[in-house]
Amino acid sequence: MSAAEPDQYPTRKLLIGGQWADSASREQIALINPANGEVFTHVASASEVDVDLAVKSARQAFESISWRRMRPLDRGKLLERVAQLIEENADELATLECIDNGKPKHLAAAVDVPSAADTFRYMAGWCTKLSGKTLPLSGDGSHYHAYTLRQPLGVIAAIVPWNYPLAMAAWKVAPALAAGCTVVLKPSEITPLTALRLGELVLEAGIPEGVLNIVTGYGQTAGQALISHWDVDKIAFTGSTAVGKHILRSSADDLKRVSLELGGKSPTIIMPDADLEQAIPGAAMSIFFNSGQICFAGSRLLVHRDIYDVVVEGIIEVAKTLPIGDGMNPDTMIGPVVSDVQRKRIMDYIAIGQEEGAELVAGGGSGGNDQGYYVEPTILANASPGHRVFQEEIFGPVLAVTQFSDMEEAVTLANQTRYGLGANVWSQNVNTCHQFADSLNAGTVWTNCYFVIDPAMPFGGFKESGIGREVGEDGIAMYTESKSVCMKIG
């Protein structure tokens, strides 16, 4: 299948209170296929008026008996049904993700869609397991019965990015609904189609109208209206650190609850005893997968000096073997980046890296693609901590390589950025792996593996990589408040 014809994808509307509606302003956003740079459909551009209606709808649904007092077992069945519908519509969802985002369809089908289904299924199980505790009070010696309740926060503003549109929507929506909250979801204006299709599936599953509302629009309009709305109880955001800081500042006026999953500059560390047959392709794919558009991409490669040349040559060879092209081609491994703006940003960083003294040893071009927004897997060798390509998030298939002499230097280099989202360690010595896991400032440390994401494993960052955790038990707890109850007996 080639690029979509415009009439295949009619203009999409907002989901508010279970109904699909045009925006109040009637304004629309053009969606562009990154594989060819052509507009293939439009979506409604939500205004402040639309956001207010969506929040009111979410509040009404949250207060309704049908949702607030629904049996936990029944809520779990509804989330399980969403998971089933995602699986039943997997091919369509993967196609939408490919055309909207640019990622290869076969990879979206293998990773993004199953991840979304797994998240809803996992969170369905938590509906019956959110419980409090009884507390042994000392007090004044009287007899007290004290306990805690775990209750839903209320209306959630969920703002998700363009790199994993469906999976990130699931990471926000599924735990929020499992906790008993209601949601206003704002997908990226660049890649909203799978979120809108998810809205249809949620309604088809039987989740009450108004529990999930979806407003498509720009960050400075729809996004800002959401984060500043007085009746939003929590903001759950995944995106850039700069926007995350803005959200945190904005939340101070009414002390909204906030969780932020932000940027990263994650290190991959290869020790001299590593199994290079696994470590080299692992290190390569930790940065080149999804065209490097992953918050925890292993964008800094730290290699022991004894094996530096061998590893760099090995990753160059991997980079050369990755087919670049339209994501609808089943042979494609490197699709286009999401937009022309993103492509230009990445190319600017490649030039900056060379100006600073890093050596371009692979890539740096478009892979021979004249149309669309393509960037070859690119390797900048001999990068140093003072280089911007070592310190700043590029969000593209660009790897900065640095050598080290011993574990102490590797830890220092790894921790020498303002980020702390993920880290990869390759070593066959279990003690070495544990020492790194203890010493690295990262929310997740993968050892002898990479890109292992599971709904049971909490995900989030240290330092400027965010606040709070996604998925897992920690993830669903972020959508609840703990209430203490104390009763005097007798």
Side-chain angles (χ1 to χ4, degrees), residues 201-218:
L201 298 181
V202 163
L203 291 175
E204 184 179 342
I207 289 176
E209 295 180 350
V211 169
L212 174 62
N213 306 270
I214 304 175
V215 290
T216 52
Y218 295 105

Side-chain angles (χ1 to χ4, degrees), residues 6 64 87-88 158 170 184 202 206 216 222 246 302 314 327 360 368 385 410 424 443 470:
S64 70
E87 291 169 338
E88 290 171 12
V184 180
V202 163
T216 52
H246 169 70
L302 309 179
L360 179 67
N424 306 302
E470 303 278 352

